[in-house]
Amino acid sequence: DAMVIQNPRYQVTQFGKPVTLSCSQTLNHNVMYWYQQKSSQAPKLLFHYYDKDFNNEADTPDNFQSRRPNTSFCFLDIRSPGLGDAAMYLCATSRAQGASGELFFGEGSRLTVL
Amino acid sequence: GQNIDQPTEMTATEGAIVQINCTYQTSGFNGLFWYQQHAGEAPTFLSYNVLDGLEEKGRFSSFLSRSKGYSYLLLKELQMKDSASYLCAVRDADSGYALNFGKGTSLLVTP
């Protein structure tokens, strides 16, 4: 059973038209992450939440925002998508305490900007 | 910040052994991870090293040398389904719980 679920799997939008991507988890992990991955590139961390504590990467554009209304859900809002924002957006979770703290990824949301 | 380097592409034959290297530079090392990613899919966790030495898990093993900033992933008895990208990722004190990923090594397994 899927433990980190992203919706939609595929999103097509127009230049400048806002988009929201969602992520839900059944693992009860306290840390949630959003990564952006462009073709043949490394996943790039945009931001992450430790519980409700928001951590923004210094080079994440202001165009990208996130919300985490509760433990299970996290949203990525792209306010005005540009052509350069076309990418796979990966949500991941981890447990802060114990073991390795490995990240569990969802299947990703692929964004196309026309 | 971190510099994570790994080869871009490798090719190996079904049944063979392949070693994928990763070097990194970090100020406060706190763990190294290997992930497998098939085209168009999410990364899946393979291994974790935080202490020097070899961790073995079935056909896959991962090695770490913290003093050298070096790790490798060893894949034995290669199968066609092992064709994928292999991502090396590092966690350090500055990134908290997050992982910073290398660009990945695209492995092609041929018959």
Side-chain angles (χ1 to χ4, degrees):
Chain A
D1 291 336
M3 296 176 288
V4 182
I5 302 165
Q6 293 187 240
N7 282 298
R9 293 287 312 279
Y10 301 92
Q11 175 74 59
V12 180
T13 190
Q14 292 178 328
F15 184 95
K17 187 172 180 183
V19 160
T20 294
L21 307 177
S22 76
C23 178
S24 65
Q25 56 135 334
T26 60
L27 296 164
N28 203 33
H29 284 170
N30 49 352
V31 193
M32 292 187 79
Y33 312 79
W34 281 104
Y35 282 85
Q36 178 194 62
Q37 187 177 27
K38 298 184 179 180
S39 181
S40 302
Q41 295 188 21
K44 179 182 179 300
L45 181 66
L46 296 174
F47 22 60
H48 72 279
Y49 281 91
Y50 181 101
D51 292 326
K52 283 195 170 287
D53 184 20
F54 178 69
N55 299 273
N56 196 32
E57 293 300 295
D59 57 355
T60 298
D62 292 340
N63 197 27
F64 291 86
Q65 303 286 318
S66 185
R67 297 168 282 137
R68 189 179 185 187
N70 55 53
T71 300
S72 301
F73 285 88
C74 195
F75 299 94
L76 171 62
D77 300 308
I78 308 175
R79 292 193 295 190
S80 182
L83 298 179
D85 297 327
M88 174 78 91
Y89 290 89
L90 296 165
C91 174
T93 73
S94 72
R95 194 171 51 148
Q97 292 82 24
S100 65
E102 74 203 62
L103 270 60
F104 292 81
F105 283 89
E107 294 194 319
S109 293
R110 182 168 294 282
L111 177 67
T112 300
V113 182
L114 302 177
Chain B
Q2 296 151 352
N3 262 338
I4 302 173
D5 290 312
Q6 41 182 141
T8 304
E9 294 178 339
M10 298 184 72
T11 302
T13 307
E14 192 175 15
I17 299 173
V18 71
Q19 177 175 314
I20 303 174
N21 296 324
C22 172
T23 58
Y24 64 90
Q25 295 172 321
T26 183
S27 53
F29 177 82
N30 195 20
L32 187 140
F33 297 74
W34 284 96
Y35 279 78
Q36 180 191 62
Q37 186 177 28
H38 284 99
E41 298 181 12
T44 55
F45 171 76
L46 290 177
S47 69
Y48 166 70
N49 296 72
V50 69
L51 300 175
D52 291 350
L54 188 68
E55 294 285 338
E56 296 187 79
K57 195 188 280 188
R59 293 191 298 117
F60 294 2
S61 304
S62 57
F63 171 83
L64 175 68
S65 169
R66 288 172 296 170
S67 62
K68 295 181 180 177
Y70 169 69
S71 173
Y72 67 73
L73 180 69
L74 194 71
L75 292 77
K76 302 176 186 175
E77 302 169 15
L78 280 172
Q79 302 174 9
M80 300 296 287
K81 68 178 182 179
D82 297 329
S83 292
S85 183
Y86 291 85
L87 301 166
C88 174
V90 174
R91 184 169 60 205
D92 71 7
D94 291 336
S95 61
Y97 301 99
L99 300 185
N100 289 294
F101 286 85
K103 290 187 177 182
T105 298
S106 180
L107 173 67
L108 177 64
V109 180
T110 60

